[in-house]
Amino acid sequence: MLTRIDHIGIACHDLDTTVEFYRTTYGFEVFHTEVNEEQGVREAMLKINETSDGGASYLQLLEPTREDSAVGKWLAKNGEGVHHIAFGTADVDADAAGIRDKGVRVLYDEPRIGSMGSRITFLHPKDCHGVLTELVTSAAVESPEH
Amino acid sequence: MLTRIDHIGIACHDLDTTVEFYRTTYGFEVFHTEVNEEQGVREAMLKINETSDGGASYLQLLEPTREDSAVGKWLAKNGEGVHHIAFGTADVDADAAGIRDKGVRVLYDEPRIGSMGSRITFLHPKDCHGVLTELVTSAAVESPEH
């Protein structure tokens, strides 16, 4: 069961510049940064609010680490902007299986590792009215790690 | 001060079909529907979670009521997908003024009426790393109105 907007993924050319924009314009601070080599991104998570399911909503700023990564190719085609949205669930495996059974293409056979040790999968945007949609189950313990 | 992700605005060709997709795929139910003639949209708000500032986060599904509306033109160019993101604040006037002072273009001189009687304004996407960004102050009392 999807119980929150977990994050909005935003692709950018330069992570440091974009983090600085969000900090100076809105006062949003970096909660966590990491490099995900499998996804080919360097990212910053900005925590915006906590949510009624015990989780939180973030902006996820994404800079590609290589041009041939999914985000790199998307950025070359579309320019900077919203790359995907993510819903939080306590059980990404069960939700992905249920959604696959409804005929929506799930992009990974098994969930992979996302931000902050979460387990994630993606749904094909052509099956989701143009929206690349991620499902995410957070790691058990979330704490700021800069 | 921006204290929550208020909503993600998603442009679609057919509101009823898209609402049905979100209901059958994820179990998200319609919280509110309305037509905003000024914005040129017919919309459905799907409430996803409540937020730590006392508000909530929604998906806002948007179908243009006329081709020459902002959403209609965007949809003709981009196809279905994420149209904008919105941050919630207790004081959209103060936040819009502060952000304008930082050199970001605010699209309205004064906030206009958005979903469910809220007061809204937009920031120019070219000043926001490609993200059309809305600021929204909810009406004092929120209750489901179908």
Side-chain angles (χ1 to χ4, degrees), chain B residues 124-143:
Chain B
H124 199 302
K126 288 191 178 170
D127 294 347
C128 299
H129 289 269
V131 177
L132 176 60
T133 303
E134 180 181 341
L135 310 180
V136 52
T137 295
S138 299
V141 178
E142 286 187 352
S143 60

Side-chain angles (χ1 to χ4, degrees), chain B residues 51 65 70 120:
Chain B
T51 54
T65 57
I120 65 170

Side-chain angles (χ1 to χ4, degrees), chain A residues 2-5 18 21 24-26 28 48-52 59 80 99 102 123 127-130 133, chain B residues 2-5 18 21 24-26 28 48-52 59 80 87 99 102 123 127-130 133:
Chain A
L2 310 183
T3 53
R4 70 180 175 279
I5 295 176
T18 309
F21 167 79
T24 58
T25 308
Y26 308 123
F28 297 154
I48 311 303
N49 57 264
E50 296 180 340
T51 54
S52 44
L59 297 185
E80 294 185 318
I99 289 168
K102 291 169 184 162
L123 311 180
D127 295 346
C128 299
H129 288 270
T133 302
Chain B
L2 310 183
T3 54
R4 70 178 175 279
I5 295 176
T18 309
F21 167 78
T24 59
T25 309
Y26 307 123
F28 298 154
I48 310 303
N49 57 266
E50 296 180 340
T51 54
S52 43
L59 297 187
E80 295 186 317
F87 299 115
I99 289 168
K102 291 169 184 161
L123 311 181
D127 294 347
C128 299
H129 289 269
T133 303

Side-chain angles (χ1 to χ4, degrees), chain A residues 10 70 75 84-85 113 118 125 133 144 146:
Chain A
I10 297 173
L75 198 51
H84 69 273
I85 68 174
I113 300 300
S118 61
T133 302
H146 290 287

